[in-house]
């Protein structure tokens, strides 16, 4: 993806926009390249291989996604009600849920603690990522935080002929306060304690990410997933690795019925992810992708020092 970055360096953003490149790709690359904040975020490697749904599902509907080594089953939680009938809350989805998950994981590693303060800290972090906090945006954040706190997930991991199963909640304790505009009964999540299992898996298998990259594609859930996936996959490769369209659709296109609907959407988001991961080496052909060994978005020492200084 050197072309858009090279164009911006030689001709500037406006010069790059005069080319035949998609404006969204130019804007994302330009925003990333101009960003001088060297903040680092972290995501558990399991989430880099199997992610949340992009769109809202029925509130009682579970979500399953399959990658080559991981199957994720995500089940919705329920909220007690005054009339004695529990209410399905629904599984988390979309870009806001992903950003909240990034915050929870980053903050846990930064503080070396399962106990996470939300409230103002979460709002400040989302603001730093370019997410306005107010009105509908605040309601969306509040809803996704509650969905995350109540859901349950299972990671089925396949490796070297062996299979493992990890059942866990993301959050095993939380403190809610009534929302001022909670006409639908939505509560505001103030504090959360990550489950011990999830926290230990995160500590063992963190994937460092650049906050500047996340900020540049903050509203696009598939681009965020692809960026995390590439950050996890590329730097450990020792040789080119093909990935078929069938495998890509199983991991990133569960909501699509036909491959010819999935491919254009996938490629749009792939180019957005590559716009904020300059060192990524990825080729596209008729069979799918060819992933090539690449430098990670965050240098190992940089990511390690962030953990040590937390």
């Amino acid at each position: 993806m050197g072309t858009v970055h090279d164009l911006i360096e030689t001709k500037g953003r406006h010069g790059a926009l005069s080319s035949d490149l998609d404006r969204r790709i130019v804007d994302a690359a330009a925003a990333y390249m101009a960003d001088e904040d060297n903040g680092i975020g972290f995501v558990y490697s399991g989430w880099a291989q199997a992610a949340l749904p992009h769109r809202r599902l029925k509130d009682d509907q579970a979500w399953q996604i399959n990658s080559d080594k991981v199957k994720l089953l995500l089940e919705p939680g329920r909220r007690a009600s005054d009339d004695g009938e529990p209410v399905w809350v629904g599984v988390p989805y979309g870009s806001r849920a992903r950003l909240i998950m990034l915050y929870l994981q980053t903050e846990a590693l930064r503080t070396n603690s399962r106990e996470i303060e939300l409230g103002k800290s979460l709002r400040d972090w989302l603001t730093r990522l370019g997410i306005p906090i107010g009105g509908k945006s605040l309601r969306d954040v509040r809803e996704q935080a509650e969905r995350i706190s109540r859901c349950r997930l299972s990671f089925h991991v396949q490796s070297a002929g062996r299979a493992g199963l990890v059942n866990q909640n993301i959050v095993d304790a939380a403190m809610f306060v009534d929302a001022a505009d909670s006409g639908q009964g939505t509560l505001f999540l103030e504090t959360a304690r990550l489950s011990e299992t999830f926290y230990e898996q995160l500590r063992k298998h963190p994937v460092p990410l650049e906050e500047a990259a996340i900020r540049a594609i903050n509203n696009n859930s598939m681009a965020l997933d692809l960026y995390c996936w590439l950050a996890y996959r590329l730097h450990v490769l020792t040789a080119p690795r093909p990935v078929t369209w069938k495998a890509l659709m199983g991991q990133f296109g569960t909501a699509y019925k036909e491959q010819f609907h999935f491919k254009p959407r996938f490629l749009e988001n792939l180019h957005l992810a590559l716009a904020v991961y300059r060192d990524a080496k990825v080729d596209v052909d008729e069979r799918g992708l060819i992933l090539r060994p690449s430098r990670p978005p965050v240098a190992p020492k940089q990511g390690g020092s962030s953990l040590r200084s937390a």
Side-chain angles (χ1 to χ4, degrees):
M1 193 62 186
T3 304
V4 64
H5 305 104
D6 294 341
L7 272 174
I8 292 170
E9 286 182 338
T10 57
K11 298 184 178 182
R13 174 178 171 275
H14 292 293
L17 285 171
S18 65
S19 70
D20 60 355
L21 290 172
D22 189 312
R23 183 186 186 96
R24 293 171 300 169
I25 295 169
V26 174
D27 286 344
Y32 167 72
M33 294 170 69
D35 198 320
E36 297 181 354
D37 186 343
N38 61 354
I40 299 172
F42 293 92
V43 66
Y44 165 50
S45 62
W47 287 116
Q49 301 173 73
L52 303 172
H54 300 295
R55 296 183 177 86
R56 181 172 188 154
L57 307 180
K58 293 179 180 179
D59 285 346
D60 61 351
Q61 184 177 345
W63 166 257
Q64 180 173 327
I65 193 165
N66 301 336
S67 68
D68 55 349
K69 293 183 179 180
V70 170
K71 291 184 177 69
L72 167 67
L73 175 62
L74 187 64
E75 298 174 278
R78 290 193 281 186
R79 183 197 312 127
S81 67
D82 293 336
D83 63 8
E85 290 293 330
V87 177
W88 289 103
V89 174
V91 298
Y93 65 92
S95 61
R96 298 295 185 265
R98 285 160 171 79
L99 295 179
I100 296 167
M101 286 294 299
L102 279 169
Y103 171 79
L104 292 172
Q105 294 166 93
T106 299
E107 193 69 3
L109 292 183
R110 186 186 71 81
T111 61
N112 286 320
S113 173
R114 293 164 56 201
E115 305 285 341
I116 309 296
E117 293 289 333
L118 287 98
K120 184 177 184 300
S121 297
L122 174 60
R123 289 192 290 270
D124 289 347
W125 191 77
L126 291 172
T127 299
R128 198 165 78 240
L129 287 181
I131 303 299
I133 297 301
K136 181 180 184 301
S137 182
L138 178 59
R139 290 192 296 273
D140 289 345
V141 167
R142 191 163 57 222
E143 177 188 352
Q144 295 305 322
E146 183 177 2
R147 286 169 177 254
I148 288 168
S149 72
R150 296 185 186 275
C151 72
R152 182 169 178 79
L153 57 90
S154 303
F155 278 109
H156 303 250
V157 183
Q158 185 84 28
S159 179
R162 302 176 66 188
L165 172 65
V166 179
N167 291 313
Q168 59 194 274
N169 295 326
I170 299 171
V171 171
D172 70 6
M175 180 65 69
F176 295 93
V177 297
D178 289 327
D181 58 349
S182 57
Q184 300 300 317
T186 302
L187 299 172
F188 188 72
L189 184 62
E190 280 288 330
T191 64
R193 184 173 70 223
L194 297 185
S195 73
E196 185 172 2
T197 302
F198 182 77
Y199 178 63
E200 289 305 318
Q201 290 297 314
L202 170 64
R203 283 173 55 86
K204 291 176 182 176
H205 308 289
V207 179
L209 309 169
E210 287 188 286
E211 278 190 12
I214 300 298
R215 191 159 31 245
I217 54 175
N218 61 22
N219 279 314
N220 194 304
S221 60
M222 188 184 290
L224 288 168
D225 289 349
L226 284 165
Y227 171 70
C228 294
W229 178 63
L230 294 173
Y232 167 72
R233 289 292 303 272
L234 295 183
H235 73 97
V236 298
L237 295 176
T238 57
R241 173 70 182 270
V243 186
T244 66
W245 285 117
K246 181 180 179 181
L248 292 167
M249 189 169 172
Q251 182 171 348
F252 298 103
T254 304
Y256 293 86
K257 292 183 178 180
E258 302 292 343
Q259 194 176 103
F260 65 84
H261 288 140
F262 164 70
K263 286 174 66 173
R265 177 70 172 157
F266 175 86
L267 290 173
E268 289 173 9
N269 288 286
L270 173 66
H271 290 308
L272 279 172
L274 295 176
V276 298
Y277 185 177
R278 186 170 185 173
D279 291 320
K281 296 180 174 64
V282 179
D283 296 327
V284 181
D285 64 20
E286 69 278 2
R287 292 166 295 183
L289 300 186
I290 301 175
L291 307 181
R292 302 187 183 278
S294 308
R295 288 192 297 180
V298 178
K301 288 185 178 180
Q302 189 180 359
S305 64
S306 295
L307 283 173
R308 286 192 296 271
S309 62

